[in-house]
Amino acid sequence: MSKGSKVTIISKLQRIARFGTVKPICLSHLSYEEFWYLFKTLTFGSADPSEHPQLVRIAEEFAKIFQVGGSLVTTNAFADVLRRNLDVQFWLCVLGKTRRVIQKNLSEHGVYPYLLFEQGHPVDITDFALHRSSAVRITNCTNSSNRLTNNDLMKKETVTLGELLVNPNNRPKGEFSLLAWESRIPPYTRFEHFVVSSVQDLPQSVNLSGRKKRRVPI
């Protein structure tokens, strides 16, 4: 690096602060008012919220749910899905699925899905996929001895979260990559999850350049 260059480190890990040469800036969770403003801006985009009063009320319910977990990735992912379809029935359908997923995980583990996922525990997302014959779980485990190469991952068909929520039949047969959200600013980080058909013998999580991948057993 050239003389005078600076590096900004952004991390959830407090121990990373030891690498800094200046006092770290610690951010707390957004208040509901701040979170609601952010979510409304992301969700409606260029649309005028005052022209969609029913959607505003539904968006407030989403904000109450997501503000507790504090995941900006989840916030952006769902805002992107909702912004593409400003339909009341669609929003209510997604809201119902989201509530059922949260309630199911709270009942089983007493912890919100986002926190479970961050801690590396399986999260039941059956209601999103609508395959009730078997549980659908997303996990961030890293214990498996099986590994996939980058080429293996690149060959997998990709489905976005929005496509899955709009029509679960968009789910490919067998293994595929689920794209939850892609950043709209450089370096355009992609939050993808590798989906397998069994909860056993999961492959090792693989990080691609500019991507974040996690395993999603179905």
Side-chain angles (χ1 to χ4, degrees):
M1 298 177 64
S2 59
K3 185 178 180 181
S5 297
K6 297 181 180 180
V7 175
T8 300
I9 302 175
I10 302 175
S11 175
K12 295 181 180 180
L13 305 177
Q14 292 186 0
R15 63 178 181 270
I16 298 296
R18 72 180 186 272
F19 295 111
T21 57
V22 297
K23 184 178 180 180
I25 299 175
C26 298
L27 302 179
S28 59
H29 285 302
L30 298 177
S31 66
Y32 174 75
E33 290 73 19
E34 294 169 327
F35 190 91
W36 164 235
Y37 176 82
L38 173 64
F39 186 74
K40 181 171 62 173
T41 301
L42 292 173
T43 304
F44 286 96
S46 60
D48 185 357
S50 64
E51 297 179 0
H52 306 275
Q54 287 181 285
L55 295 183
V56 170
R57 289 193 291 271
I58 300 172
E60 288 176 340
E61 295 302 312
F62 275 108
K64 292 176 183 177
I65 292 173
F66 294 144
Q67 192 265 342
V68 176
S71 169
L72 294 182
V73 173
T74 302
T75 301
N76 275 281
F78 275 80
D80 182 65
V81 171
L82 298 174
R83 185 176 59 253
R84 295 172 185 272
N85 189 352
L86 300 180
D87 178 76
V88 173
Q89 292 305 316
F90 174 70
W91 282 34
L92 286 173
C93 179
V94 176
L95 178 62
K97 293 178 181 180
T98 304
R99 282 174 168 166
R100 290 193 294 273
V101 166
I102 292 176
Q103 186 56 49
K104 184 176 296 182
N105 286 279
L106 281 174
S107 298
E108 293 181 4
H109 308 287
V111 179
Y112 277 83
Y114 165 69
L115 298 177
L116 275 175
F117 189 72
E118 286 296 307
Q119 295 167 7
H121 300 298
V123 175
D124 192 323
I125 59 169
T126 305
D127 287 282
F128 285 151
L130 292 181
H131 288 277
R132 300 184 181 277
S133 58
S134 60
V136 180
R137 296 181 183 274
I138 178 173
T139 184
N140 187 27
C141 301
T142 56
N143 305 358
S144 177
S145 59
N146 295 331
R147 296 177 181 273
L148 292 177
T149 66
N150 287 0
N151 288 335
D152 291 332
L153 288 169
M154 296 296 287
K155 293 177 183 178
K156 304 301 179 185
E157 185 174 352
T158 299
V159 176
T160 67
L161 175 63
E163 291 170 335
L164 190 62
L165 288 175
V166 171
N167 183 5
N169 291 326
N170 286 322
R171 168 188 163 188
K173 294 182 180 179
E175 301 171 339
F176 66 97
S177 179
L178 177 64
L179 177 61
W181 176 66
E182 181 176 16
S183 173
R184 292 182 291 275
I185 60 176
Y188 306 109
T189 303
R190 293 166 63 91
F191 292 85
E192 292 185 76
H193 313 292
F194 184 69
V195 180
V196 296
S197 58
S198 173
V199 297
Q200 298 178 347
D201 300 325
L202 293 176
Q204 176 74 25
S205 267
V206 179
N207 285 330
L208 299 183
S209 176
R211 298 185 180 185
K212 294 187 177 180
K213 279 190 175 283
R214 291 170 176 174
R215 296 161 301 159
V216 185
I218 289 185

